[in-house]
């Protein structure tokens, strides 16, 4: 196999929702009160919903931008790649990046759709359903075989959430984005029986619980004055907390077919984690009364958890200590951790470095994603048209140059102060509803 | 080299302080108000200081006990190995475990000596000094060459803390136990200039800042009803938060000779962490204005951080991705993670598994500890008497059998409820002063 022969199905990318996404999807009585994209005098666009204002952070829609322009300041839609919010442009960008398919997490509603929680349950439910309808029928369905559909949860009600999972599964959805720690959001924890109806629905419909880093709504900073690099370094690995919380829970014992994806969590730390979990079991299971029916925690992990990485050379080398059937790859377009459009080059270099055989490459780059997410792009696209090389040939002439910043040119010192404000809110527990 | 030829200097073990530790070490006016060990009607012993009661948890002095008896319930001194609190018995236990030397962290005052913080600064300082005097002059000095001395900090005052570091360095102390996150304890963070006098004193005296897992006083639990195994699994790796916080801080830039030990943090996760830090630097340093003078974060890490492990097979295999000069070993006697007295057997098995050459073994088992902690046991003990085999021969006939529990026999269900109470306090931020 050569680099251009790889088939890339990415399990973690992001959509910047377009302004018209609710049009025609809400009962008339809710239209005026729905979230709306507001163009501000300074040229930036923000989503507004009741008291909440959600800027489009420049780290979240950064594809194609030079590093000097990274930062947390808000942007206008006219400053970011149209591929962030326009489905046709997205496909062109995917082609240029050699990506056959993607799974797109939400942006302004938050990973767990928490923004839509209001005191009016009917309204909230209408927003969740409208969002999911837009995502499935509009965003994903426009290009069959190019997207693993994923819906947002009814985060405040496990019964309604279960019903929404079933409604979406009926039209081919097998992924639910969720919170890595509902307890931090003021909801019952993973250990509470409150969620049982949801676990049952996920198992029944073969739907994966996809928990993205940062999806508790709390960013991880040791102190309010920690440099931003601390948060950026720690964020993927912080998903280990959710992994441990679920691995040891009675949830996996009561719902043995439940499957969980640790989205953007990286993989290089996993072998250490599995060794530690097995040793914890050996030493402590007697008094903690843990019983996996004769299995070790590392075996349970491989039965239930899907991992993924963007760039993680060590993890590629340790793939068999992680579980070759448990690893997927992600592009993270259009976020700052993404190497789009050169992602295949870096990925291939790591495969070469570790002499990874073709069978392992195929599992990591697309077969595991297909299996775990019940996704088959090849009913729509021929395999020979699905490779990095074929897709890039199809994208020839597509403009991948930078779109210039036109508003809010901000100096580094001010960017750091913006981060500091966010860190303060995070430590104080007053982060916004996302 | 054979197993019995190893020389073991452990950099993380624990002393259960004996009841008479303050005798003759405090000004008369403070004697009646000092912490005291109280024997309770139920047979357990607790330290009492003002409003705080600190039980001697059964997980913290567990050496020699069968797994069925692990738990969080308090114990009496007459139930634990005398080696926990009696220096002569400790040496016999060290010999039986093949340990040449140890570094002993405090127990009842907390890793950062926070218990001694009172509204009477003179009294608090007297307690810190008395503790350190006891540790250096009594506990460590009784057997020269067998202990790396380590003192506790004046945690509320950086100037006084610096003075205490200098006072102890003058008598050969080169290790200071400290908090992994002073901000969580209500103190200024690592990033605050408040601590500059301490950093200066540490550098001047070649003293290592030894930060033990759990030393922020807050245990890591995702939710109050998370099983105890979650906390046990996560606790070592949680030190990554402090590692990142200090790695990216201006502290290491302003004090390029400062050295930090990540005590009980394990090592298997470190290569992933270093890759992630280097990538964070590559992608974000422009806007975060990080500058290491042309070096990468991973290089900075190896200049400043010492790691250690108890049992960490993968980490031994990855020793060169961590830094062969940055790894030490620990026994963790008498805590539940310790394999005492069979620790050498497990360690040797991992060295064999990875075909570790003698030079690497020697660095990991004693040479790195000697260098980083300015510790030379061989001025007191001949090398041929310092090996696992020689020490065990010296311990022949020493009783390593179990000391039976005589009080508070507690059923697993009740043990779990005790853990739940601790978790609730941790999540609510109302943990005791330790």
């Amino acid at each position: 196999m050569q680099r251009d022969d790889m088939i890339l199905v990415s399990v973690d990318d992001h959509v910047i929702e377009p302004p018209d996404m609710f049009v025609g999807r809400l009962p008339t009585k809710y239209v005026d009160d729905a979230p709306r994209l507001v163009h501000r005098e300074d040229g930036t666009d923000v989503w507004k919903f009741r008291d909440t204002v959600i800027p489009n952070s420049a780290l979240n829609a950064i594809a194609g931008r030079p590093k000097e322009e990274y930062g947390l300041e808000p942007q206008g839609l006219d400053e970011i790649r149209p591929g962030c919010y326009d489905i046709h442009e997205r496909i062109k960008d995917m082609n240029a990046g050699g990506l056959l398919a993607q799974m797109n997490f939400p942006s302004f509603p938050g990973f767990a759709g928490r923004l839509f929680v209001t005191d009016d349950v009917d309204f909230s439910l209408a927003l969740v359903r409208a969002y999911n309808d837009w995502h499935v029928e509009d965003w994903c369905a426009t290009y069959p075989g190019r997207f693993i559909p994923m819906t947002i949860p009814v985060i405040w009600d496990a019964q309604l959430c279960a019903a929404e999972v079933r409604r979406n599964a009926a039209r081919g959805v097998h992924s639910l984005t969720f919170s890595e720690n509902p307890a931090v959001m003021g909801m019952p924890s993973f250990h509470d029986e409150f969620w049982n109806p949801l676990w049952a629905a996920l198992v029944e419909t073969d739907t994966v619980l996809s928990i993205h880093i940062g999806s508790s709504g709390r960013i991880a900073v040791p102190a309010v004055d920690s440099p931003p690099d601390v948060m950026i370094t720690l964020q993927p690995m912080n998903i280990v907390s959710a992994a441990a919380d679920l691995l040891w829970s009675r949830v996996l014992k009561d719902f043995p077919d439940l499957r969980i994806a640790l989205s953007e969590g990286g993989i290089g730390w996993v072998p250490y984690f599995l060794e530690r979990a097995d040793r914890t079991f050996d030493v402590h299971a007697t008094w903690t009364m843990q019983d996996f029916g004769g299995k070790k925690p590392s075996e349970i992990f491989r039965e239930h958890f899907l991992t993924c990485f963007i760039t993680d050379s060590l993890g590629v080398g340790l793939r068999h200590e992680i579980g070759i059937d448990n690893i997927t790859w992600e592009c993270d377009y259009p976020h700052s951790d993404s190497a789009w459009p050169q992602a295949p080059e870096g990925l291939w270099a790591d495969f070469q470095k570790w002499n990874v055989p073709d069978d392992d490459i195929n599992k990591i780059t697309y077969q595991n994603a297909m299996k775990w997410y019940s996704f088959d792009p090849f009913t729509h696209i021929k395999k020979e048209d699905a490779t990095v090389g074929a897709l890039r040939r199809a994208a020839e002439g597509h403009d991948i140059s930078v779109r210039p910043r036109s508003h809010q040119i901000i100096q580094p010192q001010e960017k750091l102060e913006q981060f500091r404000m966010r860190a303060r809110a995070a430590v104080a527990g007053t982060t916004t509803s996302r």
Side-chain angles (χ1 to χ4, degrees), chain A:
Chain A
M1 184 188 287
Q2 295 301 312
R3 185 197 71 205
D4 281 356
D5 302 326
M6 291 193 296
I7 294 176
L8 300 180
V9 174
S10 163
V11 296
D12 172 30
D13 302 270
H14 304 268
V15 59
I16 307 294
E17 293 82 2
D20 61 352
M21 64 158 293
F22 286 116
V23 174
R25 301 200 177 274
L26 281 171
T28 314
K29 61 180 174 178
Y30 295 136
V31 167
D32 288 347
D33 200 19
R36 64 192 190 282
L37 194 73
V38 176
H39 193 69
R40 296 199 293 196
E41 278 190 12
D42 63 7
T44 66
D45 291 292
V46 296
W47 279 93
K48 282 195 174 177
F49 183 52
R50 300 195 163 181
D51 297 334
T52 308
V53 175
I54 298 155
N56 182 20
S57 155
L59 275 187
N60 286 341
I62 211 154
R65 196 169 292 296
K67 290 175 188 175
E68 290 70 21
E69 296 183 7
Y70 284 20
L72 294 174
E73 68 276 19
Q75 299 180 119
L77 280 193
D78 58 353
E79 294 176 300
I80 64 178
R81 289 195 66 76
C84 295
Y85 53 85
D86 179 299
I87 185 63
H88 310 292
E89 291 296 320
R90 170 66 64 112
I91 290 292
K92 291 179 198 164
D93 279 0
M94 285 167 61
N95 290 346
L99 295 174
L100 169 62
Q102 285 187 337
M103 187 168 79
N104 288 164
F105 281 85
S107 292
F108 84 85
F111 290 119
R114 194 185 188 184
L115 179 70
F116 296 153
V117 179
T118 72
D119 46 8
D120 179 347
V121 172
D122 291 335
F123 179 38
S124 292
L125 187 59
L127 290 171
V128 170
R129 289 180 162 221
Y131 188 98
N132 289 338
D133 290 347
W134 166 79
H135 179 84
V136 177
E137 298 170 8
D138 195 336
W139 188 255
C140 295
T142 306
Y143 288 89
R146 301 303 296 267
F147 294 95
I148 300 174
M150 174 174 59
T151 50
I152 65 173
V154 183
I155 193 67
W156 67 92
D157 186 313
Q159 295 279 4
L160 291 175
C161 197
E164 181 66 7
V165 164
R166 290 193 180 92
R167 185 177 80 96
N168 290 305
R171 51 182 171 179
V173 179
H174 294 283
S175 177
L176 178 75
T177 170
F178 203 72
S179 171
E180 65 189 335
N181 191 347
V184 166
M185 303 171 81
M187 300 293 299
S189 79
F190 284 134
H191 311 286
D192 199 291
E193 297 196 347
F194 175 87
W195 297 109
N196 279 358
L198 175 58
W199 310 144
L202 293 172
V203 167
E204 178 194 313
T205 58
D206 216 6
T207 300
V208 177
L209 187 79
S210 300
I211 51 180
H212 196 282
I213 62 168
S215 57
S216 68
R218 188 178 284 181
I219 61 171
V221 280
V224 293
D225 45 0
S226 298
D229 321 79
V230 176
M231 186 271 282
I232 298 168
T233 304
L234 293 175
Q235 207 164 26
M237 200 172 171
N238 275 335
I239 202 76
V240 70
S241 181
D245 208 25
L246 284 162
L247 177 62
W248 294 106
S249 74
R250 59 107 207 145
V251 177
L252 302 192
K253 300 176 183 87
D254 291 350
F255 298 90
D257 292 325
L258 187 66
R259 288 169 311 136
I260 300 141
L262 306 174
S263 305
E264 205 171 330
I267 58 172
W269 53 269
V270 174
Y272 166 83
F273 171 71
L274 296 181
E275 263 196 23
R276 175 72 189 165
D278 284 350
R279 184 166 157 76
T280 298
F281 183 82
D282 286 345
V283 174
H284 294 280
T286 316
W287 78 268
T288 63
M289 303 199 298
Q290 285 286 351
D291 182 356
F292 294 111
K295 292 178 183 166
K296 293 190 292 182
S298 57
E299 293 173 80
I300 299 297
F301 181 89
R302 293 188 184 102
E303 288 175 6
H304 291 276
F305 289 88
L306 185 64
T307 65
C308 69
F309 69 98
I310 304 170
T311 299
D312 200 325
S313 177
L314 178 81
V316 172
L318 295 175
R319 63 197 178 280
H320 292 292
E321 276 68 42
I322 296 162
I324 190 64
D325 297 314
N326 298 77
I327 304 174
T328 52
W329 176 78
E330 59 163 293
C331 183
D332 202 30
Y333 175 100
H335 282 191
S336 59
D337 256 343
S338 179
W340 180 91
Q342 279 86 35
E345 279 69 10
L347 182 62
W348 182 251
D350 282 334
F351 286 149
Q352 293 290 97
K353 174 180 172 186
W354 298 100
N355 294 310
V356 182
D358 290 358
D359 285 352
D360 287 4
I361 292 177
N362 288 333
K363 284 187 173 191
I364 292 172
T365 58
Y366 74 99
Q367 289 171 350
N368 288 340
M370 286 177 60
K371 195 175 72 177
W372 282 70
Y373 284 113
S374 311
F375 172 69
D376 186 0
F378 304 121
T379 53
H380 303 281
I381 297 151
K382 279 187 286 188
K383 227 170 192 173
E384 59 263 36
D385 296 334
T387 62
V388 169
L391 292 165
R392 280 181 163 171
R393 280 192 296 277
E396 263 169 35
H398 179 53
D399 180 13
I400 55 165
S401 67
V402 179
R403 209 166 178 186
R405 299 262 0 213
S406 47
H407 323 297
Q408 290 257 345
I409 303 305
I410 284 176
Q411 297 310 307
Q413 201 58 271
E414 196 179 337
K415 292 180 185 180
L416 291 179
E417 188 45 42
Q418 288 175 334
F419 175 82
R420 188 71 61 86
M421 281 171 56
R422 283 207 189 187
R424 268 192 217 107
V427 169
T430 57
T431 339
T432 65
S433 61
R434 308 180 71 215

